Amino acid sequence: MSTSNIDDLPWEDIKEISQKGLFKEVFKRIPKSSFQFAAESKNRKALIKSALKSLKKTDPNATYEQATVLADLMQVFAKKVFEENEKTE
């Protein structure tokens, strides 16, 4: 992952969302099976394809590289969420 991709992330927004716990309400609506699917390395290509499709809806010039960065971040995040869910059950 290149540094420029990381630098482009909305760090202030991410910080605010995580500090306020805003993500918790949104993620309660997502099935646990979705996090499990996203957390599994074997599903990386499917995540990239899905991310690219979603990105192209709002930006026709979205690239495979952008989708890859997004999918990789999602996998890291999904692993953490799935692990936390496992601990609380």
Side-chain angles (χ1 to χ4, degrees), residues 19-72:
Q19 286 178 339
K20 291 182 178 178
L22 298 175
F23 59 91
K24 291 177 184 175
E25 290 302 314
V26 173
F27 294 140
K28 284 181 184 177
R29 297 187 305 247
I30 298 172
K32 291 177 189 173
S33 60
S34 294
F35 284 113
Q36 183 177 8
F37 179 88
E40 295 176 0
S41 299
K42 67 181 181 181
N43 297 321
R44 184 173 182 262
K45 287 183 181 181
L47 289 175
I48 295 169
K49 183 179 176 182
S50 177
L52 184 58
K53 182 179 177 181
S54 179
L55 289 171
K56 289 217 176 249
K57 287 180 183 176
T58 56
D59 180 4
N61 297 318
T63 65
Y64 183 85
E65 290 76 20
Q66 290 170 320
T68 300
V69 170
L70 185 59
D72 288 346

